[in-house]
Amino acid sequence: MLDLTRGADLWRRASSVLAGGVDSPVRAGKPVGGPVMVREASGAYVIDADGRRLVDYLMAYGPLLLGHAHPALTRDLDRAAARGTLYGCTHEEEVRLAERLRGHMPSLERIRFTNSGTESVMSAIRVARAFTGRDAVLRFAGNYHGHFDQALLDAGASANAAGAGPSGIPAGVARDTIVCRYNDLDHVDEALRAHGARLAAIMVEPVVGNMGLVHPLPGFLEGLRRRTERVGALLIFDEVITGFRLGLGGAQARCGVMPDLTTLGKVLGGGYPLAAFGGRAEVMAVLAPEGSVFQGGTLSGNPFCVEIAHRLLDVLEGDSGLLPRMRALGERLAEGLRSALRACDLRYPVVHDESIVDFMFRCSDRPHRNYDEAKQGDAAAYAAFYQEMLAEGVLLAPSQNEVMFLSAAHAEEDVDRTVLAARSALARMRERGVV
Ligand code: PMP
């Protein structure tokens, strides 16, 4: 019999000292019946507090493109630290990193480093407001941009903002936040008729990873570009998930639409707190000291995290086969899951893009396109699947809004084991009538 007492004891301790037991609400695992407490992690695996070795598809919600504790990102860190971990002054490697990023993403004419995706998006929005002299922002339901005021309200991931008052979001901020349906330009047009003249920016995940995996329909991003130009607003691409995971040029290189501003995080820092935002030089010029918008941070651009980002880019630039191998692994996982679902006569579309794989417990001939459709996913079925997979030694995200992230550390055997686990899990669920 599996002894799970250590994890349970640790969760009791966590709950009595951390608010809600966690530093980020999703980690409590409420939708799936409880948290997993982790002891350590390596490669494609985490070891939980009770010693279970789990194939990890959570991958810390996306940053760990190379897997846990990749040698390129852990080797000789004492030497990096010995040169000083924080200067409070601009340094050469920070400049070189910005140059490298701009080499991959030419829309980043000017860049600022921050410490989290939240900070990057929050700052990009302030820049857009100052540049346009307008207050309102149009966003899409089911996209997630971090935990600052204007990013919540109908956000995806595990945000669950319960309206302005109870969520601690000022009513004024809610009035300046216009939420539209993803992939629905008619809805955007309706909003623009009412609010176009006071719109500072349209902010969008160019491929969404926060309501499951959702692709933009052909013409959607191009349509947003044309509309922002027409109404005099900026277009912000939130590439915190897609940046470097979908290729070194991000989603924007693939779709050919140039945003005015871009936000980056997650993969860029390789699991360390580093993020960035940037865009057109003329727009970024509103930032102090050139302009009047203050934005900055004690830890921003620190040499330690910058070193990690260089190492990550060294790996990606030095091995042009790495992302294609991950794409092939993603395809293998997606195909395996499709066959596991077919074996149980279940019609849930499996979606795949590079190293991201996803399916919802929602019967349909086509993948969901927006948050209304994502919310039709059967949460109880997902919770049962999560628990069955955990019992099989596979760690999934504790919410159906999240996706499966592969890393360079996952091997074909891991994927094949996962597919077998899914077959057994789904068959047991079928027997019990859960699906
Ligand atoms: N934007 C997107 C698209 C994200 O997925 C996230 C995090 N899941 C954020 C912004 C916020 O990043 P962070 O958690 O680093 O603040």
Side-chain angles (χ1 to χ4, degrees):
M1 204 34 201
L2 201 56
D3 178 7
L4 299 175
T5 48
R6 280 190 179 197
D9 285 349
L10 185 55
W11 176 237
R12 263 192 298 280
R13 273 175 62 201
S15 302
S16 68
V17 67
L18 295 172
V22 293
D23 288 318
S24 206
V26 68
R27 298 180 195 170
K30 282 222 160 146
V32 294
V36 163
M37 312 296 282
V38 170
R39 182 195 298 166
E40 60 184 276
S42 169
Y45 293 87
V46 296
I47 312 285
D48 81 356
D50 296 296
R52 286 183 296 183
R53 187 166 179 264
L54 308 168
V55 190
D56 183 9
Y57 292 96
L58 184 58
M59 279 290 142
Y61 298 90
L64 308 177
L65 189 70
L66 304 184
H68 293 282
H70 189 282
L73 306 188
T74 52
R75 188 190 311 125
D76 286 340
L77 285 185
D78 48 350
R79 270 224 308 246
R83 290 194 294 274
T85 56
L86 195 58
Y87 304 146
C89 294
T90 299
H91 56 100
E92 183 174 351
E93 288 304 286
E94 175 188 13
V95 177
R96 192 169 71 86
L97 182 61
E99 289 166 347
R100 264 179 118 171
L101 291 186
R102 185 170 58 186
H104 290 298
M105 265 185 210
S107 74
L108 301 175
E109 292 173 359
R110 295 290 184 278
I111 294 170
R112 272 256 165 109
F113 290 109
T114 67
N115 309 293
S116 70
T118 296
E119 271 183 72
S120 287
V121 186
M122 181 175 72
S123 305
I125 287 186
R126 186 178 300 149
V127 164
R129 286 207 201 99
F131 183 77
T132 57
R134 300 166 172 187
D135 287 343
V137 171
L138 190 154
R139 314 191 342 245
F140 295 94
N143 287 202
Y144 179 78
H145 302 289
H147 66 82
F148 65 100
D149 290 341
Q150 205 152 17
L152 295 171
L153 301 170
D154 231 356
S158 304
N160 291 332
S167 303
I169 297 168
V173 169
R175 271 195 300 277
D176 284 332
T177 310
I178 299 140
V179 183
C180 285
R181 249 186 320 277
Y182 197 77
N183 274 327
D184 187 343
L185 287 174
D186 290 340
H187 199 203
V188 172
D189 282 336
E190 198 181 302
L192 291 183
R193 277 192 292 278
H195 305 287
R198 62 183 196 96
L199 202 66
I202 295 184
M203 175 166 70
V204 65
E205 283 186 73
V207 172
V208 191
N210 284 301
M211 50 174 166
L213 177 62
V214 177
H215 283 105
L217 289 174
F220 178 61
L221 297 174
E222 292 83 347
L224 296 181
R225 179 69 282 185
R226 277 195 305 278
R227 283 161 177 78
T228 47
E229 278 161 10
R230 198 182 71 225
V231 301
L234 300 185
L235 182 62
I236 305 175
F237 273 6
D238 184 345
E239 296 231 36
V240 166
I241 286 182
T242 52
F244 308 108
R245 190 169 278 279
L246 301 190
L248 277 162
Q252 57 194 262
R254 250 180 25 179
C255 70
V257 174
M258 280 277 239
D260 300 294
L261 291 167
T262 298
T263 56
L264 295 167
K266 300 219 186 225
V267 170
L268 172 65
Y272 295 75
L274 181 77
F277 70 101
R280 277 166 50 202
E282 173 199 19
V283 174
M284 293 290 284
V286 301
L287 285 167
E290 275 182 276
S292 54
V293 176
F294 188 79
Q295 185 282 336
T298 304
L299 301 172
S300 297
N302 69 77
F304 192 80
C305 292
V306 162
E307 157 93 16
I308 297 289
H310 276 301
R311 291 176 178 211
L312 179 92
L313 287 178
D314 288 345
V315 172
L316 291 180
E317 291 170 4
D319 180 0
S320 57
L322 188 130
L323 291 180
R325 281 199 300 280
M326 289 174 70
R327 181 192 312 141
L329 208 58
E331 187 54 44
R332 189 180 184 97
L333 177 59
E335 264 311 310
L337 290 173
R338 284 183 194 115
S339 75
L341 288 163
R342 265 197 310 275
C344 289
D345 217 12
L346 293 167
R347 289 190 310 121
Y348 307 139
V350 177
V351 207
H352 162 230
D353 194 341
E354 296 290 332
S355 50
I356 307 176
V357 176
D358 180 50
F359 73 92
M360 286 246 168
F361 284 83
R362 173 181 170 273
C363 285
S364 174
D365 294 331
R366 60 161 178 80
H368 61 287
R369 293 174 175 171
N370 57 47
Y371 203 31
D372 291 335
E373 291 179 355
K375 285 194 273 198
Q376 293 163 0
D378 181 342
Y382 184 76
F385 184 62
Y386 173 93
Q387 289 298 343
E388 290 284 356
M389 292 298 274
L390 193 58
E392 296 273 348
V394 178
L395 181 64
L396 300 175
S399 151
Q400 202 167 198
N401 273 349
E402 314 285 349
V403 295
M404 294 172 85
F405 287 111
L406 284 154
S407 76
H410 285 78
E412 288 187 352
E413 301 82 76
D414 297 317
V415 164
D416 295 346
R417 229 188 90 199
T418 304
V419 169
L420 279 179
R423 268 181 186 267
S424 320
L426 290 166
R428 281 196 296 275
M429 288 165 66
R430 198 82 169 133
E431 262 168 43
R432 296 206 314 266
V434 182
V435 285

Short mmCIF file of all heavy atoms in Angstrom, two decimals, residues 365-402:
data_model
loop_
_atom_site.label_atom_id
_atom_site.label_comp_id
_atom_site.label_asym_id
_atom_site.label_seq_id
_atom_site.Cartn_x
_atom_site.Cartn_y
_atom_site.Cartn_z
N ASP A 365 -16.28 17.67 -32.93
CA ASP A 365 -15.50 17.31 -34.12
C ASP A 365 -14.32 18.23 -34.30
O ASP A 365 -13.43 17.95 -35.09
CB ASP A 365 -16.39 17.40 -35.38
CG ASP A 365 -17.48 16.35 -35.33
OD1 ASP A 365 -17.22 15.30 -34.70
OD2 ASP A 365 -18.57 16.60 -35.86
N ARG A 366 -14.30 19.35 -33.59
CA ARG A 366 -13.18 20.29 -33.75
C ARG A 366 -12.75 20.81 -32.37
O ARG A 366 -13.54 20.84 -31.42
CB ARG A 366 -13.57 21.44 -34.66
CG ARG A 366 -14.74 22.26 -34.15
CD ARG A 366 -14.82 23.61 -34.81
NE ARG A 366 -15.98 24.35 -34.34
CZ ARG A 366 -16.04 25.01 -33.19
NH1 ARG A 366 -15.02 25.00 -32.35
NH2 ARG A 366 -17.14 25.67 -32.84
N PRO A 367 -11.47 21.23 -32.28
CA PRO A 367 -10.99 21.78 -31.01
C PRO A 367 -11.75 23.06 -30.63
O PRO A 367 -12.27 23.74 -31.52
CB PRO A 367 -9.53 22.11 -31.30
CG PRO A 367 -9.17 21.38 -32.55
CD PRO A 367 -10.43 21.20 -33.33
N HIS A 368 -11.79 23.36 -29.35
CA HIS A 368 -12.46 24.59 -28.92
C HIS A 368 -11.69 25.81 -29.40
O HIS A 368 -10.47 25.75 -29.59
CB HIS A 368 -12.64 24.60 -27.40
CG HIS A 368 -11.35 24.55 -26.63
ND1 HIS A 368 -10.58 23.41 -26.52
CD2 HIS A 368 -10.70 25.51 -25.94
CE1 HIS A 368 -9.52 23.68 -25.78
NE2 HIS A 368 -9.57 24.93 -25.42
N ARG A 369 -12.41 26.92 -29.60
CA ARG A 369 -11.81 28.13 -30.19
C ARG A 369 -11.79 29.31 -29.24
O ARG A 369 -11.17 30.33 -29.53
CB ARG A 369 -12.63 28.56 -31.40
CG ARG A 369 -12.57 27.60 -32.53
CD ARG A 369 -13.53 28.04 -33.62
NE ARG A 369 -13.39 27.18 -34.77
CZ ARG A 369 -14.21 27.21 -35.81
NH1 ARG A 369 -15.23 28.05 -35.84
NH2 ARG A 369 -14.03 26.39 -36.81
N ASN A 370 -12.54 29.22 -28.16
CA ASN A 370 -12.63 30.38 -27.26
C ASN A 370 -12.96 29.89 -25.85
O ASN A 370 -13.12 28.68 -25.62
CB ASN A 370 -13.69 31.37 -27.76
CG ASN A 370 -15.06 30.70 -27.91
OD1 ASN A 370 -15.50 29.98 -27.00
ND2 ASN A 370 -15.72 30.90 -29.04
N TYR A 371 -13.05 30.82 -24.91
CA TYR A 371 -13.21 30.44 -23.50
C TYR A 371 -14.60 29.87 -23.22
O TYR A 371 -14.76 28.99 -22.38
CB TYR A 371 -12.93 31.66 -22.62
CG TYR A 371 -12.53 31.32 -21.21
CD1 TYR A 371 -11.84 30.15 -20.91
CD2 TYR A 371 -12.83 32.18 -20.16
CE1 TYR A 371 -11.45 29.84 -19.62
CE2 TYR A 371 -12.44 31.89 -18.85
CZ TYR A 371 -11.76 30.72 -18.60
OH TYR A 371 -11.38 30.42 -17.31
N ASP A 372 -15.63 30.38 -23.93
CA ASP A 372 -16.97 29.83 -23.73
C ASP A 372 -16.96 28.33 -24.02
O ASP A 372 -17.53 27.53 -23.28
CB ASP A 372 -17.99 30.51 -24.67
CG ASP A 372 -18.22 31.96 -24.28
OD1 ASP A 372 -18.00 32.28 -23.10
OD2 ASP A 372 -18.59 32.76 -25.15
N GLU A 373 -16.29 27.98 -25.11
CA GLU A 373 -16.22 26.55 -25.46
C GLU A 373 -15.32 25.78 -24.50
O GLU A 373 -15.62 24.65 -24.13
CB GLU A 373 -15.73 26.39 -26.91
CG GLU A 373 -16.76 26.90 -27.92
CD GLU A 373 -16.30 26.79 -29.37
OE1 GLU A 373 -15.14 26.40 -29.63
OE2 GLU A 373 -17.11 27.11 -30.25
N ALA A 374 -14.21 26.42 -24.07
CA ALA A 374 -13.30 25.75 -23.13
C ALA A 374 -14.03 25.40 -21.84
O ALA A 374 -13.80 24.36 -21.23
CB ALA A 374 -12.10 26.64 -22.84
N LYS A 375 -14.94 26.29 -21.43
CA LYS A 375 -15.65 26.07 -20.17
C LYS A 375 -16.65 24.91 -20.25
O LYS A 375 -17.18 24.47 -19.24
CB LYS A 375 -16.33 27.36 -19.72
CG LYS A 375 -15.29 28.35 -19.15
CD LYS A 375 -15.90 29.50 -18.39
CE LYS A 375 -16.25 30.64 -19.28
NZ LYS A 375 -16.46 31.91 -18.63
N GLN A 376 -16.90 24.42 -21.48
CA GLN A 376 -17.77 23.24 -21.63
C GLN A 376 -17.04 21.95 -21.26
O GLN A 376 -17.64 20.88 -21.21
CB GLN A 376 -18.28 23.13 -23.06
CG GLN A 376 -19.22 24.25 -23.46
CD GLN A 376 -19.39 24.35 -24.98
OE1 GLN A 376 -18.80 23.59 -25.74
NE2 GLN A 376 -20.19 25.31 -25.41
N GLY A 377 -15.71 22.03 -21.07
CA GLY A 377 -14.95 20.84 -20.69
C GLY A 377 -15.47 20.26 -19.38
O GLY A 377 -15.82 21.00 -18.46
N ASP A 378 -15.50 18.94 -19.30
CA ASP A 378 -16.05 18.25 -18.12
C ASP A 378 -14.98 18.21 -17.02
O ASP A 378 -14.04 17.41 -17.07
CB ASP A 378 -16.46 16.83 -18.56
CG ASP A 378 -17.06 16.02 -17.43
OD1 ASP A 378 -16.87 16.39 -16.25
OD2 ASP A 378 -17.72 15.01 -17.73
N ALA A 379 -15.15 19.09 -16.02
CA ALA A 379 -14.14 19.24 -14.98
C ALA A 379 -14.02 17.98 -14.12
O ALA A 379 -12.92 17.60 -13.71
CB ALA A 379 -14.47 20.45 -14.10
N ALA A 380 -15.14 17.31 -13.87
CA ALA A 380 -15.10 16.10 -13.04
C ALA A 380 -14.34 15.00 -13.76
O ALA A 380 -13.56 14.25 -13.15
CB ALA A 380 -16.53 15.65 -12.70
N ALA A 381 -14.55 14.90 -15.07
CA ALA A 381 -13.82 13.88 -15.85
C ALA A 381 -12.33 14.17 -15.83
O ALA A 381 -11.51 13.27 -15.67
CB ALA A 381 -14.33 13.85 -17.29
N TYR A 382 -11.97 15.47 -15.95
CA TYR A 382 -10.54 15.81 -15.93
C TYR A 382 -9.94 15.47 -14.56
O TYR A 382 -8.83 14.93 -14.47
CB TYR A 382 -10.29 17.28 -16.25
CG TYR A 382 -8.81 17.57 -16.31
CD1 TYR A 382 -8.06 17.18 -17.41
CD2 TYR A 382 -8.14 18.17 -15.23
CE1 TYR A 382 -6.68 17.38 -17.46
CE2 TYR A 382 -6.76 18.37 -15.27
CZ TYR A 382 -6.04 17.99 -16.39
OH TYR A 382 -4.67 18.17 -16.42
N ALA A 383 -10.68 15.76 -13.49
CA ALA A 383 -10.17 15.47 -12.15
C ALA A 383 -9.92 13.96 -11.99
O ALA A 383 -8.90 13.54 -11.44
CB ALA A 383 -11.16 15.96 -11.09
N ALA A 384 -10.85 13.17 -12.52
CA ALA A 384 -10.69 11.71 -12.43
C ALA A 384 -9.46 11.27 -13.23
O ALA A 384 -8.66 10.45 -12.79
CB ALA A 384 -11.95 11.01 -12.95
N PHE A 385 -9.30 11.86 -14.43
CA PHE A 385 -8.16 11.52 -15.29
C PHE A 385 -6.85 11.90 -14.60
O PHE A 385 -5.89 11.13 -14.58
CB PHE A 385 -8.31 12.26 -16.63
CG PHE A 385 -7.25 11.92 -17.64
CD1 PHE A 385 -7.12 10.62 -18.13
CD2 PHE A 385 -6.39 12.90 -18.14
CE1 PHE A 385 -6.15 10.31 -19.09
CE2 PHE A 385 -5.42 12.60 -19.09
CZ PHE A 385 -5.31 11.30 -19.56
N TYR A 386 -6.82 13.09 -14.02
CA TYR A 386 -5.62 13.56 -13.31
C TYR A 386 -5.21 12.55 -12.23
O TYR A 386 -4.06 12.17 -12.13
CB TYR A 386 -5.91 14.93 -12.70
CG TYR A 386 -4.82 15.46 -11.81
CD1 TYR A 386 -3.82 16.29 -12.31
CD2 TYR A 386 -4.78 15.12 -10.45
CE1 TYR A 386 -2.81 16.76 -11.48
CE2 TYR A 386 -3.77 15.57 -9.62
CZ TYR A 386 -2.79 16.40 -10.15
OH TYR A 386 -1.79 16.85 -9.32
N GLN A 387 -6.21 12.12 -11.44
CA GLN A 387 -5.90 11.20 -10.33
C GLN A 387 -5.46 9.83 -10.85
O GLN A 387 -4.54 9.21 -10.31
CB GLN A 387 -7.12 11.05 -9.40
CG GLN A 387 -7.42 12.30 -8.57
CD GLN A 387 -6.30 12.69 -7.60
OE1 GLN A 387 -5.41 11.89 -7.30
NE2 GLN A 387 -6.32 13.94 -7.14
N GLU A 388 -6.12 9.36 -11.91
CA GLU A 388 -5.74 8.07 -12.50
C GLU A 388 -4.32 8.14 -13.04
O GLU A 388 -3.53 7.20 -12.87
CB GLU A 388 -6.69 7.70 -13.66
CG GLU A 388 -8.11 7.35 -13.24
CD GLU A 388 -8.21 5.95 -12.64
OE1 GLU A 388 -7.20 5.23 -12.61
OE2 GLU A 388 -9.31 5.61 -12.16
N MET A 389 -3.98 9.24 -13.71
CA MET A 389 -2.63 9.38 -14.28
C MET A 389 -1.58 9.50 -13.17
O MET A 389 -0.50 8.94 -13.28
CB MET A 389 -2.57 10.62 -15.20
CG MET A 389 -3.38 10.47 -16.47
SD MET A 389 -2.82 9.12 -17.54
CE MET A 389 -1.54 9.95 -18.49
N LEU A 390 -1.94 10.19 -12.10
CA LEU A 390 -1.03 10.31 -10.96
C LEU A 390 -0.73 8.92 -10.39
O LEU A 390 0.43 8.58 -10.11
CB LEU A 390 -1.67 11.20 -9.89
CG LEU A 390 -0.79 11.71 -8.76
CD1 LEU A 390 0.39 12.52 -9.31
CD2 LEU A 390 -1.61 12.58 -7.80
N ALA A 391 -1.77 8.11 -10.28
CA ALA A 391 -1.58 6.74 -9.77
C ALA A 391 -0.70 5.93 -10.72
O ALA A 391 -0.02 5.00 -10.31
CB ALA A 391 -2.95 6.07 -9.60
N GLU A 392 -0.69 6.31 -12.00
CA GLU A 392 0.15 5.62 -12.99
C GLU A 392 1.56 6.23 -13.06
O GLU A 392 2.36 5.83 -13.89
CB GLU A 392 -0.48 5.74 -14.39
CG GLU A 392 -1.82 5.05 -14.54
CD GLU A 392 -1.67 3.57 -14.91
OE1 GLU A 392 -0.55 3.16 -15.26
OE2 GLU A 392 -2.66 2.84 -14.80
N GLY A 393 1.82 7.28 -12.26
CA GLY A 393 3.16 7.87 -12.25
C GLY A 393 3.34 9.00 -13.24
O GLY A 393 4.46 9.27 -13.70
N VAL A 394 2.24 9.69 -13.59
CA VAL A 394 2.32 10.81 -14.54
C VAL A 394 1.71 12.05 -13.89
O VAL A 394 0.59 12.02 -13.39
CB VAL A 394 1.53 10.49 -15.83
CG1 VAL A 394 1.57 11.68 -16.79
CG2 VAL A 394 2.10 9.24 -16.50
N LEU A 395 2.48 13.15 -13.89
CA LEU A 395 1.99 14.39 -13.30
C LEU A 395 1.47 15.33 -14.38
O LEU A 395 2.21 15.76 -15.26
CB LEU A 395 3.11 15.10 -12.51
CG LEU A 395 2.70 16.41 -11.83
CD1 LEU A 395 1.65 16.16 -10.75
CD2 LEU A 395 3.92 17.11 -11.23
N LEU A 396 0.17 15.63 -14.30
CA LEU A 396 -0.45 16.58 -15.22
C LEU A 396 -0.70 17.88 -14.48
O LEU A 396 -0.59 17.95 -13.24
CB LEU A 396 -1.79 16.02 -15.73
CG LEU A 396 -1.71 14.69 -16.48
CD1 LEU A 396 -3.12 14.20 -16.81
CD2 LEU A 396 -0.89 14.83 -17.75
N ALA A 397 -1.10 18.92 -15.21
CA ALA A 397 -1.47 20.17 -14.56
C ALA A 397 -2.78 19.96 -13.80
O ALA A 397 -3.66 19.25 -14.29
CB ALA A 397 -1.62 21.27 -15.59
N PRO A 398 -2.92 20.59 -12.63
CA PRO A 398 -4.12 20.37 -11.82
C PRO A 398 -5.33 21.19 -12.27
O PRO A 398 -6.18 21.52 -11.45
CB PRO A 398 -3.66 20.78 -10.42
CG PRO A 398 -2.59 21.78 -10.66
CD PRO A 398 -1.92 21.41 -11.94
N SER A 399 -5.40 21.53 -13.54
CA SER A 399 -6.56 22.27 -14.06
C SER A 399 -6.63 22.04 -15.56
O SER A 399 -5.61 22.02 -16.25
CB SER A 399 -6.40 23.77 -13.77
OG SER A 399 -7.05 24.53 -14.76
N GLN A 400 -7.87 21.91 -16.04
CA GLN A 400 -8.07 21.62 -17.45
C GLN A 400 -7.73 22.83 -18.34
O GLN A 400 -7.60 22.70 -19.54
CB GLN A 400 -9.51 21.18 -17.67
CG GLN A 400 -9.70 20.38 -18.93
CD GLN A 400 -11.05 19.67 -19.01
OE1 GLN A 400 -11.20 18.77 -19.77
NE2 GLN A 400 -12.02 20.09 -18.24
N ASN A 401 -7.59 24.02 -17.72
CA ASN A 401 -7.20 25.20 -18.50
C ASN A 401 -5.74 25.17 -18.91
O ASN A 401 -5.31 25.95 -19.75
CB ASN A 401 -7.43 26.48 -17.69
CG ASN A 401 -8.85 26.99 -17.84
OD1 ASN A 401 -9.59 26.52 -18.70
ND2 ASN A 401 -9.22 27.94 -17.01
N GLU A 402 -4.96 24.31 -18.25
CA GLU A 402 -3.52 24.26 -18.53
C GLU A 402 -3.26 23.17 -19.56
O GLU A 402 -4.13 22.36 -19.85
CB GLU A 402 -2.74 23.97 -17.23
CG GLU A 402 -3.17 24.79 -16.02
CD GLU A 402 -2.70 26.24 -16.06
OE1 GLU A 402 -1.87 26.56 -16.92
OE2 GLU A 402 -3.18 27.03 -15.23
#
